[in-house]
Amino acid sequence: MITRRWVTAGAGGLLAVLAVGLFPAHAAAGEPAAKESPKVELVLDVSGSMRATDIDGKSRMAAAKQAFNEVLDAVPDEVRLGIRTLGADYPGDDRQLGCKDTKQLYPVGRLDRTEAKTAVATLAPTGWTPIGPALLGAAEDLKGGDATRRIVLITDGEDTCAPLDPCEVARDIAAQGIHLVIDTLGLVPDAKTRSQLLCIAEATGGTYTSVQHTDELSGRVKQLVDRAATPVVKPVATEGAKQCEGAPKLEAGLYTDREAFGEHRWYRVDVLPGQELRASVSIAADRAVNNDYGVMLRATTGHGREIVRGSEAGDGRTDLISTGLRYPTAEADDEDGDGDGKPAAETVCLQVSNSFSAGASVKTTPGLPVELTIDLVDAPDEASDVAAFGLGRGWWLLAVLVLTGFLAGLVWGWISRWRISVWRTN
């Protein structure tokens, strides 16, 4: 997952509007609306390979059960938690049946720790590894409302139910704009498992963790559940336009979008006199792409004149590429003339472009995940322009430095000659 730089104004405003819409009659005037409880679903692999005894001298299944008991004891009261399994019921060789073997073991809701622990205790390693169908089922389990939603997938192997690629499933979930994050944990993973789980996590802005010991598993799952209860920022889904006119108008905040290979997308930001626009964009290469690619972020006027740009290039050795820009506006000299006494804002057009390409066998839909951060702060004073924007806006200072150096040389030369003449006289 592109943060650091997180700004809460945009997301906070959206949550406030949604809260008013959801609770118009029940919230008293001046009282904050109730915040919806975060939702987490733990998805546990119960396939036959979980019998392997290579985690702290016990089976992977036993280690997972122990970790689950510790996690369930520590779940925050405000979290609504559920448990889904994959490969827990069908022991046969029929691929069609084995790839449907996923079910919700404990429904997402207020946690009854005894009931949840009892349900987990009954599990025994059984069947296939239908990760793709399990992710689809978990997304459905968490559907509805505007709460923070998180899937934590725990597995010891790669999916065995191709052609339903779990990485493509994760991309499709991300493309829905429902802000459902998938974190993955690999139990003693091999290279293929690691690659697949990393792809699933990156597609939704989640994390991947390799696990070798029981305490690592319980500690990481606890951390992820706690993170759902106290999210840093909830990004806002938006959709850029083909041109600046009619593009969505963004305020300070964090935004997500999807951009096709080689596409240009436009957004608009109103910047008041005396403010500085700071914008950054990150695009994730969440699938195999050709070498040599780049991303560009341009700020232009409404008439198309370029103000400033930022760009970055890559060569295939990274899965995320980012760039940013800064644009300060001058203080207003007079009012906008409409009688309200407020200075007129300048509409800045932001263009996000990428030069990604991929081989013929790579699926190009949905587009690549884009994360756009917008911040509006007080513009720096003139004295800081050189430091902030380079010498391009400060040639006068360079001239002063050169002149000062020249004069200093003349003075030092005159002093040296005077000292020598005095020495000779004496």
Side-chain angles (χ1 to χ4, degrees):
M1 83 204 102
I2 324 134
T3 155
R4 47 197 164 275
R5 57 187 170 61
W6 305 123
V7 184
T8 60
L14 177 64
L15 289 174
V17 171
L18 288 173
V20 171
L22 288 170
F23 307 103
H26 301 288
E31 292 183 4
K35 183 178 179 181
E36 192 173 348
S37 297
K39 298 178 182 178
V40 179
E41 182 145 89
L42 307 179
V43 179
L44 178 61
D45 180 356
V46 196
S47 61
S49 58
M50 290 289 283
R51 299 189 192 96
T53 55
D54 52 7
I55 296 184
D56 300 332
K58 51 180 174 279
S59 72
R60 299 173 182 177
M61 191 73 247
K65 287 182 177 181
Q66 179 181 331
F68 264 56
N69 283 337
E70 295 174 4
V71 169
L72 293 173
D73 283 335
V75 173
D77 292 337
E78 66 269 28
V79 172
R80 300 295 176 257
L81 185 130
I83 302 173
R84 173 172 283 271
T85 61
L86 60 96
D89 297 315
Y90 178 71
D93 297 326
D94 188 322
R95 183 187 188 87
Q96 187 173 1
L97 293 177
C99 289
K100 294 180 181 178
D101 185 11
T102 177
K103 70 174 184 180
Q104 191 175 44
L105 184 72
Y106 186 86
V108 177
R110 187 176 293 277
L111 182 63
D112 182 321
R113 289 173 169 79
T114 301
E115 184 179 344
K117 287 181 179 181
T118 301
V120 171
T122 63
L123 297 175
T126 303
W128 296 63
T129 313
I131 294 177
L135 293 179
L136 289 173
E140 188 66 25
D141 297 340
L142 297 170
K143 191 174 180 180
D146 191 53
T148 300
R149 283 168 281 187
R150 202 172 208 104
I151 294 173
V152 181
L153 170 65
I154 303 154
T155 180
D156 70 336
E158 61 179 326
D159 181 89
T160 56
C161 292
L164 184 61
D165 183 352
C167 192
E168 295 294 338
V169 170
R171 290 178 188 143
D172 289 339
I173 290 173
Q176 295 174 20
I178 58 176
H179 310 306
L180 195 163
V181 175
I182 303 175
D183 297 291
T184 58
L185 291 89
L187 305 182
V188 197
D190 56 25
K192 287 185 176 180
T193 300
R194 184 182 301 108
S195 176
Q196 186 174 82
L197 295 181
L198 185 62
C199 180
I200 293 170
E202 289 179 343
T204 61
T207 60
Y208 163 72
T209 305
S210 174
V211 174
Q212 307 288 336
H213 302 285
T214 306
D215 58 347
E216 292 176 349
L217 178 59
S218 60
R220 183 57 175 158
V221 177
K222 286 178 187 176
Q223 186 181 55
L224 293 172
V225 173
D226 288 343
R227 184 176 297 176
T230 55
V232 179
V233 165
K234 183 174 182 180
V236 178
T238 188
E239 185 173 349
K242 298 296 183 183
Q243 56 188 7
C244 183
E245 184 179 359
K249 188 166 287 188
L250 307 182
E251 299 178 346
L254 177 66
Y255 299 87
T256 58
D257 200 354
R258 288 265 168 175
E259 189 169 276
F261 284 70
E263 188 180 10
H264 307 274
R265 287 206 167 191
W266 292 87
Y267 313 86
R268 293 183 297 161
V269 181
D270 283 344
V271 186
L272 292 171
Q275 284 188 325
E276 179 177 283
L277 167 65
R278 298 180 181 180
S280 65
V281 64
S282 298
I283 299 182
D286 62 349
R287 66 207 76 177
V289 298
N290 296 331
N291 289 345
D292 301 322
Y293 47 76
V295 59
M296 181 175 68
L297 179 63
R298 295 175 66 230
T300 69
T301 66
H303 301 292
R305 178 179 64 82
E306 182 175 294
I307 303 170
V308 65
R309 73 164 66 188
S311 61
E312 188 59 64
D315 61 2
R317 292 195 294 268
T318 182
D319 52 23
L320 186 73
I321 187 167
S322 306
T323 190
L325 57 82
R326 295 170 62 178
Y327 170 56
T329 58
E331 291 285 353
D333 294 328
D334 50 27
E335 298 177 2
D336 59 1
D338 62 3
D340 63 1
K342 297 180 181 179
E346 176 184 355
T347 297
V348 176
C349 302
L350 290 179
Q351 178 191 11
V352 176
S353 308
N354 77 82
S355 59
F356 282 92
S357 62
S361 62
V362 176
K363 185 177 179 181
T364 58
T365 55
L368 300 169
V370 174
E371 182 180 279
L372 182 63
T373 303
I374 304 295
D375 197 5
L376 294 167
V377 301
D378 291 336
D381 56 30
E382 292 298 325
S384 65
D385 279 356
V386 175
F389 300 99
L391 291 173
R393 295 186 54 169
W395 286 109
W396 62 270
L397 180 58
L398 179 60
V400 170
L401 292 173
V402 171
L403 181 59
T404 302
F406 176 72
L407 293 175
L410 289 177
V411 172
W412 180 252
W414 180 82
I415 292 174
S416 298
R417 288 189 178 189
W418 176 77
R419 290 177 61 188
I420 292 173
S421 64
V422 171
W423 178 76
R424 287 178 176 177
T425 300
N426 296 332

